[in-house]
Amino acid sequence: MRPTAVKSNRSLCLGHHRCWERVLGLLTRLGGASPLMHQPPPASCSSSSSSSSSSSSSSSSSCECARVGVRVSALAPAAAPCPAPRQLPYPRLPEPPSRGTSTLIPARLGPWCSPTGSPAPLSCETGCGEGSWILVCRLLVPTQVSLLSMEEDIDTRKINNSFLRDHSYATEADIISTVEFNHTGELLATGDKGGRVVIFQREQESKNQVHRRGEYNVYSTFQSHEPEFDYLKSLEIEEKINKIRWLPQQNAAYFLLSTNDKTVKLWKVSERDKRPEGYNLKDEEGRLRDPATITTLRVPVLRPMDLMVEATPRRVFANAHTYHINSISVNSDYETYMSADDLRINLWNFEITNQSFNIVDIKPANMEELTEVITAAEFHPHHCNTFVYSSSKGTIRLCDMRASALCDRHTKFFEEPEDPSNRSFFSEIISSISDVKFSHSGRYIMTRDYLTVKVWDLNMENRPIETYQVHDYLRSKLCSLYENDCIFDKFECVWNGSDSVIMTGSYNNFFRMFDRNTKRDVTLEASRENSKPRAILKPRKVCVGGKRRKDEISVDSLDFSKKILHTAWHPSENIIAVAATNNLYIFQDKVN
């Protein structure tokens, strides 16, 4: 294992790559959008592709990453156009101090509701498995909420709807970028593109209202990351939260990791319902008293106070990645974790912030020889020495840290042979793996590429044991998806608690469920328009061609701007969280 000196990583770029950084930075500042580095589409595509072919042909001869089918921004250090100041039509939460102090957030904020009122439960016949689903609530990431009286009864508390973030006022910073349950499922954390983390807590069951057990209310919210600027490279680092990972709870406090493109932070979230009073050298307002006026010695006492939630940054792991961080994973020993970017994977100790160990490095000596990048990585749920990482070429590598400190040579290599008859211009792009997950048992690996979800057995490397088509009806639309960049979308996938059902997202706010035992599947829609009280959310079907039925939707009518990229499943119950732009839908298995 190579120890990585954090401060020396800024000089890792070669001359060829630095030249590309300057060109991309100039184009980004002038054009306002990240250019793509890929080959022009075939002549069968629309005429609009002819204009892009001239610009991309010159770049394809300079770098081999054109064959990878990825954006140049995925290989260059974190770069983003300098955004204009956001003009928000509503007030924002006060931003927490960056170091040394805590952020106090009211713990009881009442039942969360939409600006039009509290969402009523919906029954949903999934057709996947024996049960059906209820829409428990639709949550919107809050900008600011009214402070509620703690003496008010929980069933009569109200929220000032004028402070809720309406869908029509959603900005780019409001879009949810990650969703994660903690190990017990009592807390649900979301991160957005504005660098904020919002934690929801599950409502405790009451005797009067048993159905409220599945509802989640706002527990805490804080600003995790701020936009930064790298003056050495003249590049802006976005505040977007890429991943959130919870640590197992060891005491009354909660700990979680959050990361943007460059920096990983360890946060402590704790409650406080008492405050000390009766200081000798300070008055009740915290000002220092004149020692001459102190005649008696008092013993400070703890007084009850309104329950508050503190979010405090305990560790900051920075300056160890030259490229974008795409994954973080907590080890089963709970002492270390790893962070992966496009070309390297680093191993960290939770107690050491100024040094990490580089365990995977696929960067070639000559960047023109680069053929693939790392897309995702995860530790084994039980064996602390084992981890996997996926690549943009559709391959998965299993590594064992006992065999070698530097895991550039894999222990197992999982790859499905490609059928030559199905090869096309888009084959390498759609085969790129966007997510990889171990099953809870540790026996299987699940991967998600653009069109399919695959399940691999750790004992069989030559092909997956299960393949599920997510939206195969989009094969005829790959050319248009290439033109609008949707072909580069990165969908996530999740297991249920028993590893028997798989869930992943799609377009038009559709999400798919696959039952591994019965081989049944269902397509559901997380839509605000369908959220009518007590309405049955029927399975949706997409019509590819021919005569369309009344309950089907044509593939030409799909809205590709509405997409389900991030989902989460409760670790032990049938409760799922689905993120759709700035809305978070929570479904619960219907209890008859």
Side-chain angles (χ1 to χ4, degrees):
M1 232 177 294
R2 294 198 298 260
T4 303
V6 172
K7 295 183 179 180
S8 64
N9 280 322
R10 293 184 177 273
S11 60
L12 294 178
C13 294
L14 298 178
H16 172 79
H17 190 54
R18 186 176 296 277
C19 178
W20 267 112
E21 293 173 8
R22 295 172 182 171
V23 174
L24 292 177
L26 179 60
L27 292 177
T28 303
R29 289 192 289 271
L30 293 179
S34 299
L36 293 178
M37 187 165 186
H38 45 58
Q39 298 177 2
S44 60
C45 292
S46 61
S47 59
S48 62
S49 64
S50 60
S51 61
S52 64
S53 62
S54 59
S55 61
S56 61
S57 60
S58 59
S59 61
S60 61
S61 62
S62 301
C63 182
E64 290 296 325
C65 59
R67 305 198 205 108
V68 185
V70 297
R71 302 176 186 270
V72 164
S73 57
L75 297 178
C82 298
R86 294 192 295 266
Q87 301 295 332
L88 301 182
Y90 37 73
R92 298 190 59 173
L93 281 174
E95 297 181 354
S98 58
R99 294 178 181 271
T101 57
S102 302
T103 304
L104 301 182
I105 304 296
R108 299 173 60 189
L109 296 180
W112 205 242
C113 57
S114 67
T116 58
S118 301
L122 302 179
S123 79
C124 163
E125 299 177 357
T126 65
C128 183
E130 299 299 330
S132 56
W133 295 85
I134 296 176
L135 175 61
V136 179
C137 50
R138 181 175 65 88
L139 307 171
L140 289 89
V141 178
T143 299
Q144 183 168 340
V145 294
S146 57
L147 301 184
L148 305 169
S149 172
M150 294 298 106
E151 290 80 9
E152 202 169 0
D153 185 75
I154 187 173
D155 296 329
T156 60
R157 286 177 291 157
K158 302 294 181 181
I159 277 187
N160 187 352
N161 290 334
S162 63
F163 289 106
L164 294 181
R165 182 169 298 169
D166 193 1
H167 180 76
S168 59
Y169 291 103
T171 64
E172 182 74 14
D174 303 332
I175 298 177
I176 299 175
S177 56
T178 183
V179 182
E180 187 75 12
F181 279 101
N182 72 336
H183 290 74
T184 62
E186 294 300 309
L187 297 181
L188 174 64
T190 65
D192 60 24
K193 290 188 175 181
R196 296 179 294 267
V197 173
V198 180
I199 302 176
F200 300 93
Q201 185 180 42
R202 194 177 184 184
E203 186 73 23
Q204 297 299 320
E205 184 176 358
S206 62
K207 297 181 180 179
N208 298 330
Q209 294 179 325
V210 181
H211 68 276
R212 295 192 60 178
R213 169 62 178 161
E215 294 185 5
Y216 283 78
N217 298 324
V218 176
Y219 178 67
S220 175
T221 177
F222 57 92
Q223 188 75 26
S224 175
H225 287 73
E226 298 283 354
E228 301 176 12
F229 192 80
D230 190 338
Y231 295 96
L232 296 178
K233 300 176 181 177
S234 297
L235 297 174
E236 186 181 11
I237 303 173
E238 293 182 346
E239 66 270 30
K240 171 191 171 185
I241 305 298
N242 292 336
K243 294 292 181 181
I244 291 177
R245 290 292 181 264
W246 289 91
L247 276 69
Q249 187 177 7
Q250 306 293 338
N251 47 40
Y254 302 96
F255 290 87
L256 63 87
L257 287 172
S258 64
T259 181
N260 65 349
D261 287 338
K262 293 290 186 178
T263 305
V264 183
K265 294 184 179 182
L266 175 64
W267 289 88
K268 176 184 178 181
V269 181
S270 58
E271 298 179 354
R272 187 173 62 163
D273 58 357
K274 294 181 176 62
R275 65 170 178 265
E277 291 183 358
Y279 289 105
N280 291 281
L281 301 179
K282 295 181 180 179
D283 57 15
E284 298 300 330
E285 298 181 358
R287 295 174 297 187
L288 293 177
R289 299 172 59 185
D290 185 4
T293 62
I294 300 176
T295 58
T296 59
L297 181 64
R298 297 186 300 176
V299 178
V301 295
L302 293 176
R303 301 292 185 187
M305 60 175 289
D306 294 337
L307 182 63
M308 305 296 287
V309 177
E310 295 178 310
T312 310
R314 300 304 300 271
R315 301 284 188 275
V316 178
F317 308 89
N319 302 327
H321 285 276
T322 307
Y323 307 97
H324 292 184
I325 299 176
N326 53 49
S327 301
I328 53 175
S329 179
V330 180
N331 201 345
S332 59
D333 60 9
Y334 306 132
E335 294 182 358
T336 58
Y337 77 94
M338 70 176 176
S339 57
D341 63 22
D342 299 316
L343 297 179
R344 297 183 180 92
I345 299 178
N346 292 335
L347 181 66
W348 299 83
N349 188 290
F350 281 111
E351 301 299 327
I352 302 174
T353 61
N354 60 353
Q355 190 180 45
S356 65
F357 290 91
N358 178 229
I359 55 178
V360 173
D361 188 351
I362 66 171
K363 181 180 179 181
N366 185 359
M367 285 295 289
E368 294 184 358
E369 300 175 359
L370 180 67
T371 59
E372 61 180 341
V373 295
I374 299 173
T375 57
E378 187 175 64
F379 268 118
H380 193 280
H382 308 303
H383 304 309
C384 62
N385 55 278
T386 307
F387 67 94
V388 296
Y389 67 92
S390 58
S391 76
S392 57
K393 295 182 69 174
T395 61
I396 309 104
R397 292 172 173 85
L398 178 71
C399 300
D400 190 342
M401 291 188 290
R402 296 174 301 181
S404 175
L406 184 62
C407 301
D408 288 343
R409 294 187 178 182
H410 50 267
T411 303
K412 289 190 175 183
F413 184 77
F414 301 87
E415 183 180 20
E416 183 179 16
E418 183 181 7
D419 187 359
S421 61
N422 295 332
R423 183 171 180 81
S424 67
F425 173 81
F426 306 103
S427 295
E428 293 186 1
I429 302 178
I430 63 177
S431 64
S432 176
I433 296 176
S434 58
D435 195 17
V436 58
K437 294 284 178 61
F438 271 107
S439 62
H440 294 85
S441 64
R443 172 66 183 275
Y444 304 102
I445 301 174
M446 175 173 56
T447 61
R448 170 68 202 267
D449 55 38
Y450 189 69
L451 295 178
T452 64
V453 173
K454 298 176 182 177
V455 178
W456 303 76
D457 193 320
L458 290 183
N459 297 327
M460 188 169 65
E461 308 174 38
N462 56 349
R463 61 182 177 86
I465 60 174
E466 300 168 18
T467 301
Y468 302 97
Q469 300 293 334
V470 179
H471 39 218
D472 194 60
Y473 46 81
L474 296 181
R475 285 190 180 272
S476 60
K477 301 291 183 182
L478 291 179
C479 188
S480 58
L481 293 170
Y482 179 88
E483 291 294 328
N484 59 20
D485 289 348
C486 287
I487 200 171
F488 299 101
D489 288 334
K490 299 182 182 300
F491 293 93
E492 297 179 0
C493 54
V494 292
W495 302 87
N496 71 334
S498 60
D499 300 333
S500 60
V501 181
I502 293 171
M503 179 175 62
T504 188
S506 182
Y507 293 104
N508 206 72
N509 279 355
F510 289 168
F511 61 97
R512 302 266 286 153
M513 288 185 178
F514 304 94
D515 193 317
R516 300 179 60 201
N517 298 327
T518 62
K519 304 303 179 182
R520 300 171 63 184
D521 63 89
V522 65
T523 302
L524 300 176
E525 182 180 6
S527 174
R528 183 179 181 180
E529 288 74 14
N530 294 336
S531 299
K532 297 180 180 179
R534 310 304 303 176
I536 297 178
L537 188 62
K538 297 181 179 180
R540 303 302 304 269
K541 295 182 179 180
V542 178
C543 176
V544 179
K547 189 176 180 180
R548 182 175 63 89
R549 297 181 181 179
K550 183 178 180 181
D551 57 342
E552 293 181 342
I553 181 173
S554 173
V555 66
D556 297 324
S557 302
L558 296 177
D559 189 351
F560 295 105
S561 63
K562 297 180 180 179
K563 59 193 75 173
I564 303 295
L565 300 178
H566 312 286
T567 57
W569 201 305
H570 192 284
S572 58
E573 300 181 29
N574 282 336
I575 298 177
I576 58 176
V578 177
T581 58
N582 68 319
N583 293 273
L584 181 66
Y585 295 86
I586 297 181
F587 294 86
Q588 183 179 17
D589 194 10
K590 183 178 180 181
V591 180
N592 297 321

